[in-house]
Amino acid sequence: MSALKSFLDEKVKVVTSDGRLFIGVLEGFDQSSNIVLSKSFERIFSPTEPTKDLELGSYLIRGEQIVIVGMLDDEEESQTDYDKIHGFQLKDTKNALR
């Protein structure tokens, strides 16, 4: 959690345990690693359709669902043509209880 402090007020990418990708400005976090993003959107990949960005605005992500948080590289983002990137949805990272 202390590593998140250096990401405050910066653009970040967040991958959740259900394979979703969120991008936004990290506005805050708490002791449970719940995070608040502003100016956020979800980037949705498809095997057949162009990549879509779904605008969300302010968004809260529960810490228990976060797999990774990383800084967004604006230069790399601007050079990446996401319309040409296709992909299948990631499988859930949690093991089902038997």
Side-chain angles (χ1 to χ4, degrees):
M1 182 176 70
S2 63
L4 290 176
K5 196 171 193 175
S6 64
F7 294 171
L8 280 172
D9 299 319
E10 299 289 343
K11 290 182 186 176
V12 295
K13 285 186 177 183
V14 181
V15 177
T16 59
S17 60
D18 60 355
R20 298 167 71 188
L21 173 65
F22 297 92
I23 298 171
V25 176
L26 181 62
E27 293 294 333
F29 62 91
D30 64 11
Q31 67 278 5
S32 299
S33 297
N34 299 312
I35 65 171
V36 176
L37 300 178
S38 66
K39 302 176 188 172
S40 68
F41 59 92
E42 179 180 2
R43 181 159 287 149
I44 303 170
F45 296 92
S46 165
T48 57
E49 301 291 322
T51 301
K52 296 178 188 172
D53 288 343
L54 176 63
E55 297 290 330
L56 301 171
S58 294
Y59 201 74
L60 171 70
I61 304 175
R62 293 177 53 130
E64 66 186 26
Q65 293 195 299
I66 296 172
V67 174
I68 191 165
V69 178
M71 294 284 285
L72 182 81
D73 183 334
D74 283 323
E75 184 177 335
E76 187 174 317
E77 274 293 302
S78 67
Q79 294 176 3
T80 304
D81 185 358
Y82 284 101
D83 288 337
K84 295 182 179 177
I85 297 176
H86 299 279
F88 293 95
Q89 182 172 348
L90 296 175
K91 293 182 180 179
D92 196 318
T93 61
K94 295 183 180 180
N95 295 323
L97 297 176
R98 295 179 197 225

